[in-house]
Amino acid sequence: MDFELSDNHKELQQKMKDFFQKHIAPRASKMDISSSEEKLALMRENLDRLSQVGYLGHCIKEDYNGNNMDFVGQCVTAEELAKACASTFISARASAFLFAYPVQSFGTEQQKKAYLPYIAKGGKIGAIAYSEQDAGSDLLAIQASAEKVDKGWVINGTKDIVVNAPIADVFLVLAKTSSKDEESPAFGLFIIDRDTPGLEIGERVETLGLRGAPIAGLDLKDCHVSDEALLGGTPGKGKEQIEDVLVNGSLTLSAMAVGLGVACMEMATQRAKKRVAFGKQIGRFQEVGFKLSDMFTDNDLGRMLTLRAAWAYDNNEAEANILASCAKLFTSEALTRISNHAMQIFAGHGYVKGTDVERVFRDARFVEIAEGTTEIQRVIIAKSVLDKYLPR
Ligand SMILES: Cc1cc2nc3c(=O)[nH]c(=O)nc-3n(C[C@H](O)[C@H](O)[C@H](O)COP(=O)(O)OP(=O)(O)OC[C@H]3O[C@@H](n4cnc5c(N)ncnc54)[C@H](O)[C@@H]3O)c2cc1C
């Protein structure tokens, strides 16, 4: 057993870390508080910078201008980017993973060629729109519909929270393809360009954290797309496709949690050394020191679990999906504890608006909610455990 990253991974990690700390981290605070227009401009610039360092092509194959990183590499770099700026991380991930991964995994050759080379180089920005006002965890409850017409589909529906909607050039949209009277519902993911008639971008959505990320809803009214817009070209595959994206995505969300956890650790330890109370550095008080030890332990365990799951994907282990769920469950809950400890160590001065610890505290809460809440991860893991240890 070897817990060391390979030399290649270490080199990649250092290169990305240096770049993100120099070009992304210094703008994180500004992105959180500036006006909507300013935020959009800053995010476009950040995505441009990430394309220069190859980050936007990390899960795209070389044939389509990407650099096809393995899963361990994706996690190592995701941790560094999320630590530098979580808003930039989720915007980059929405394009470079949530849009690109399904197109690469399930798309036709024509679809891959039309989008992946541009996503990899930052020439196009992608987004994914699957959840709705009344359908998040229960995706089968979505109302968006795609009706088959001659040589295409007509899509109607509303998506309410879509990362990158204000800046995306292209969307993957989940819609029901079966009619109401069909017994089992069928779904499709549709690739829809921003300028398609019938597609409208909604008002910007304001969120508790990740305020630098451009988020809005989508309205689709009689939005007519050709047959070529259906991902993979075969109707009825949308459910498996979106499930695969979400399970696989647990991995980089876990890495995001670890990155934010490291940010909390670094801020809290510095504060514990610098802040003096009752004539002592506060870190010398056992109650504060114990918080730091819990934070470190949680984060290190989370990283191990995340990299274990990444390694399982890289080695085609049968348990990779379930390990990714375990990693998402543990790291997201751990991050809530870690960010809470960081806030407590900063106390009143962390609660003040505009401080880094306050921003990271708000950003952190996202991971327990996104793409399979902690409750849903437990449901998935319990089912797998029951199947494994209590065969019917
Ligand atoms: C910042 C942000 C960005 C987002 N970006 C996107 C995006 O780009 N594209 C997109 O399509 N969506 C996006 N979303 C939506 C996100 O995917 C959903 O919020 C998430 O999937 C949870 O769904 P929900 O909010 O509808 O919660 P619900 O499904 O309504 O869940 C509510 C509560 O019930 C619990 N619950 C539900 N079912 C069960 C069950 N079977 N067992 C136990 N507990 C259960 C949940 O765990 C949760 O605690 C984003 C959300 C946020 C906050």
Side-chain angles (χ1 to χ4, degrees), residues 12 16 75 85 94 97 101 106 145 159 207 215 231 238 240 289 311 381:
L12 174 73
M16 293 291 175
C75 286
C85 175
F97 172 75
Y101 169 81
F106 308 114
S145 65
K159 304 288 178 180
T207 44
I215 304 178
L231 185 68
E240 298 95 89
W311 184 89
I381 297 163

Side-chain angles (χ1 to χ4, degrees), residues 101-143:
Y101 169 81
V103 171
Q104 176 157 278
S105 303
F106 308 114
T108 61
E109 195 51 36
Q110 192 189 352
Q111 289 168 339
K112 292 180 201 180
K113 282 192 178 138
Y115 294 100
L116 295 179
Y118 304 97
I119 296 284
K121 296 292 175 203
K124 279 188 197 290
I125 298 171
I128 193 164
Y130 53 94
S131 71
E132 296 176 4
Q133 179 74 36
D134 294 321
S137 308
D138 180 10
L139 279 179
L140 302 193
I142 61 163
Q143 295 298 312

Side-chain angles (χ1 to χ4, degrees), residues 90 94 98 128-133 135-138 161-163 207 210 215 366 369-376 379:
I90 69 154
L98 291 173
I128 193 164
Y130 53 94
S131 71
E132 296 176 4
Q133 179 74 36
S137 308
D138 180 10
I161 315 180
V162 181
V163 172
T207 44
L210 302 169
I215 304 178
F366 164 77
I369 294 166
E371 296 171 31
T373 60
T374 43
E375 291 80 5
I376 294 299
V379 171

